[in-house]
């Protein structure tokens, strides 16, 4: 019997409050325009275009998102004037309906990472083209997300994805392990397919999800309230010609992970990438233009944004890395992985979000000044947790201006983890975290 979604000739559109390039969403500080970047990559010319329109038609504030995209804040009434140059620069979708579905996360070092098992770009381009050009996929929610991991040392493996694929080799054959509604850092794979079946697997998962999900079910985890994961995988195997093989002992190796800040060698001898971060994920137009200029002068004319809300300059000659780092520092970017501010994440907060109970960005800067060593801490203005795609080791949840409840991540606790302290001021939170750090070091 046909399923309800198969009877309908009109594609079902799942409503979303997320901004897009063509859908500018209002906030307290003006509109937000989100520019999706394939694999987080932007050319210098495209970066100039973003910086220019952010300056002319918005507040000049540009944010790096935790999915390696950019968003322009404070957009004024001239939406068309802002969008047209971005489209002309090639930053738009292939067609208006496909802007939301370009949610494929790659490692920021895809193709250049010495530790990679696979250069994911060829498969990624194939998947992105299908996402944009298959009308049915316009039914996917703007939040539905796929990850393709090539085994790089620098990879965000903790963000939950509806579908994740991770490359490994077995007896000389490249396979893609996969999982649903989870992440490669925590979950055992459900199975694996040969690399050449990777595209077909992605298409089959997306189509099966759309066939089975009710309109209000925007993510695979919602569908798993109605059916089991095993049932979904069984149907997948039945309806596609992809041969899914069991994966026994393989788990994603996370031991080579390193900070996104600093200088690291690429596969190509003599070439390095240099990583830096704008404080709390926020750039201004001058910083973005400066980055574009550095990429043209010392790199390959492209920048790669990362899910840590930072940026990499690839293809820098190794001997020029110290100079590039100096120039990044002069632009106002954080280049030292030991700087506590580089480890803090804060949402928009009450300065520009009506739901925010505290000015999280301002409080994060104050907190960073109280910490002697880096600690990964997330300050969130409310329970929605917009700034963090996975639970941080420490979460400060605003309860009033300048006051936060403090949670420590604990695998057995849902949400932010275990509530350890209530209603702390920033000074008190700083003292508590410093004392905890000292006692951890002393143990
Ligand atoms: S987490 Fe809450 S306060 Fe922060 S940006 Fe999101 S909705 Fe606003």
């Amino acid at each position: 019997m046909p399923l309800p979604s198969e009877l309908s000739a009109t594609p079902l559109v799942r409503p979303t409050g997320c901004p897009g390039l063509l859908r500018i969403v209002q906030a307290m500080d003006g509109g937000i325009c989100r520019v999706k970047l394939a694999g987080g990559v932007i050319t210098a010319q495209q970066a100039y275009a973003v910086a220019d329109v952010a300056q002319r038609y918005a507040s000049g504030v540009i944010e790096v998102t935790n999915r390696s995209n950019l968003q322009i804040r404070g957009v004024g009434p001239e939406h068309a004037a802002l969008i047209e140059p971005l489209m002309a620069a090639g930053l738009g979708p292939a067609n208006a309906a496909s802007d939301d579905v370009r949610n494929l996360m790659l490692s920021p070092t895809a193709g250049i990472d010495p530790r990679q098992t696979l250069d994911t770009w060829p498969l990624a381009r194939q998947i992105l083209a299908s996402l944009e050009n298959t009308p049915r996929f316009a039914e996917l929610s703007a939040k539905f997300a796929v990850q393709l991991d090539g085994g790089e040392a620098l990879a965000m493996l903790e963000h939950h994805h509806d579908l994740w694929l991770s490359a490994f080799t077995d007896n000389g054959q490249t396979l893609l392990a996969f999982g649903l509604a989870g992440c490669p850092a925590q979950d055992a794979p459900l199975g694996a397919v040969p690399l050449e079946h990777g595209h077909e697997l992605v298409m089959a998962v997306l189509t099966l999800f759309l066939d089975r999900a009710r309109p209000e079910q925007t993510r695979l985890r919602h569908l798993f309230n109605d059916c089991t994961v095993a049932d979904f995988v069984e149907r997948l195997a039945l309806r596609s010609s992809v041969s899914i093989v069991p994966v026994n002992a393989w788990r994603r190796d996370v031991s080579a992970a390193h900070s996104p800040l600093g200088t690291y060698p690429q596969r190509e001898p003599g070439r390095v990438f240099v990583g830096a971060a704008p404080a709390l994920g926020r750039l201004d137009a001058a910083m973005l233009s400066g980055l574009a200029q550095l990429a043209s002068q010392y790199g390959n004319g492209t920048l790669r944004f990362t899910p840590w809300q930072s940026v990499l300059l690839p293809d820098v000659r190794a001997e020029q890395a110290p100079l590039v780092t100096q120039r990044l520092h002069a632009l106002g970017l954080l280049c030292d992985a030991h700087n506590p501010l580089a480890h803090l994440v804060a949402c928009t907060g009450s300065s520009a979000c009506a739901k925010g109970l505290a000015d999280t960005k301002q409080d994060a800067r104050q907190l960073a000044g109280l910490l002697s060593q880096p600690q990964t801490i997330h300050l969130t203005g409310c329970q929605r947790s917009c700034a963090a795609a996975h639970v941080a080791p420490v979460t400060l949840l605003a309860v009033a201006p300048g006051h936060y409840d403090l949670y420590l991540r604990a695998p057995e606790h849902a949400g932010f983890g275990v509530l350890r302290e209530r209603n702390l001021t920033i000074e008190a939170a700083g003292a508590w975290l410093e004392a905890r750090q000292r006692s951890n070091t002393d143990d």
Side-chain angles (χ1 to χ4, degrees):
M1 194 173 79
L3 290 146
S5 60
E6 291 167 344
L7 294 169
S8 167
T10 312
L12 173 129
V13 176
R14 290 178 162 82
T16 176
C18 291
L21 190 132
L22 308 169
R23 187 180 48 248
I24 293 174
V25 168
Q26 285 303 308
M28 276 163 61
D29 58 341
I32 303 173
C33 173
R34 184 170 295 164
V35 184
K36 292 196 170 168
L37 306 175
V41 175
I42 190 169
T43 66
Q45 289 313 314
Q46 290 172 329
Y48 286 129
V50 173
D52 186 55
V53 297
Q55 186 90 306
R56 280 174 196 265
Y57 305 111
S59 64
V61 173
I62 300 151
E63 290 177 332
V64 187
T65 74
N66 56 27
R67 295 198 55 80
S68 316
N69 295 314
L70 291 179
Q71 60 188 25
I72 301 169
R73 294 199 72 96
V75 177
E78 295 177 83
H79 292 186
L82 177 115
I83 292 168
E84 272 166 28
L86 299 176
M87 295 293 286
L91 288 163
N95 59 73
S98 65
D99 188 28
D100 281 342
V101 299
R102 301 183 290 163
N103 294 335
L104 176 65
M105 183 179 279
L106 305 183
S107 158
T109 53
I112 60 171
D113 196 303
R115 295 288 297 243
Q116 73 189 25
T117 303
L118 171 73
D119 177 354
T120 51
W121 274 105
L123 177 55
R125 286 193 191 95
Q126 214 187 345
I127 295 169
L128 279 166
S130 296
L131 284 171
E132 286 206 61
N133 297 313
T134 308
R136 180 89 197 276
F137 293 154
E139 294 178 22
L140 291 167
S141 130
K143 291 190 181 302
F144 197 96
V146 179
Q147 176 171 29
L148 178 55
D149 159 42
E152 302 88 352
L154 187 61
M156 171 55 80
L157 301 169
E158 292 177 298
H159 281 11
H160 280 217
H161 282 80
D162 294 279
L163 165 64
W164 60 262
L165 301 107
S166 191
F168 70 105
T169 50
D170 186 36
N171 285 327
Q173 187 189 18
T174 304
L175 297 169
L176 292 168
F178 73 94
L180 302 170
C183 65
Q186 287 162 12
D187 300 334
L190 298 167
V193 297
L195 172 61
E196 54 275 21
H197 291 168
H199 176 263
E200 200 181 330
L201 175 74
V202 175
M203 299 302 109
V205 170
L206 268 49
T207 308
L208 182 58
F209 168 76
L210 289 173
D211 285 348
R212 301 204 66 198
R214 285 180 273 114
E216 67 276 19
Q217 293 174 320
T218 54
R219 308 293 302 268
L220 253 173
R221 66 171 188 272
H222 303 147
L223 179 62
F224 292 149
N225 293 329
D226 294 351
C227 75
T228 65
V229 176
D231 174 50
F232 189 91
V233 175
E234 199 178 313
R235 283 174 184 251
L236 198 61
L238 282 176
R239 69 153 59 183
S240 77
S241 56
V242 172
S243 52
I244 298 172
V245 296
V247 181
N248 298 323
W250 182 88
R251 290 295 298 265
R252 175 61 158 96
D253 176 16
V254 294
S255 61
H258 60 73
S259 164
L261 303 194
T263 299
Y264 299 91
Q266 293 183 190
R267 291 171 75 77
E268 189 184 343
R271 296 283 162 169
V272 297
F273 61 89
V274 183
L280 304 171
R282 278 202 172 169
L283 297 152
D284 61 28
M287 287 164 100
L288 185 55
S289 297
L291 278 165
Q293 199 206 333
L294 287 181
S296 299
Q297 195 173 349
Y298 297 104
N300 64 9
T302 66
L303 298 163
R304 297 184 178 206
F305 287 98
T306 82
W308 296 271
Q309 298 183 285
S310 64
V311 62
L312 307 183
L313 263 82
D315 277 339
V316 173
R317 293 217 313 268
E319 65 275 16
Q320 292 187 318
L323 176 61
V324 170
T325 305
Q326 244 178 42
R327 299 277 304 270
L328 288 165
H329 187 68
L331 282 174
L333 286 120
L334 308 173
C335 301
D336 178 4
H338 296 101
N339 184 335
L341 186 54
H343 296 261
L344 299 194
V345 176
C347 74
T348 302
S350 59
S351 68
C353 174
K355 294 192 173 67
L357 295 177
D359 187 347
T360 47
K361 294 254 189 234
Q362 180 57 37
D363 290 342
R365 285 181 181 274
Q366 188 189 344
L367 180 62
L370 300 171
L371 301 175
S372 57
Q373 291 182 48
Q375 301 190 44
T376 303
I377 303 164
H378 168 211
L379 288 86
T380 184
C382 76
Q383 292 274 1
R384 284 172 65 128
S385 185
C386 297
H390 64 269
V391 179
V394 179
T395 298
L396 289 170
L397 170 64
V399 290
H403 288 73
Y404 293 81
D405 286 348
L406 187 152
Y407 292 81
L408 295 184
R409 182 168 68 190
E412 65 282 7
H413 279 76
F416 297 126
V418 182
L419 175 62
R420 292 296 300 269
E421 297 292 331
R422 282 189 188 278
N423 202 24
L424 294 178
T425 61
I426 289 297
E427 290 83 358
W432 194 95
L433 290 161
E434 279 289 279
R436 174 170 170 268
Q437 180 93 348
R438 273 197 302 277
S439 77
N440 284 350
T441 316
D442 293 344
D443 283 348

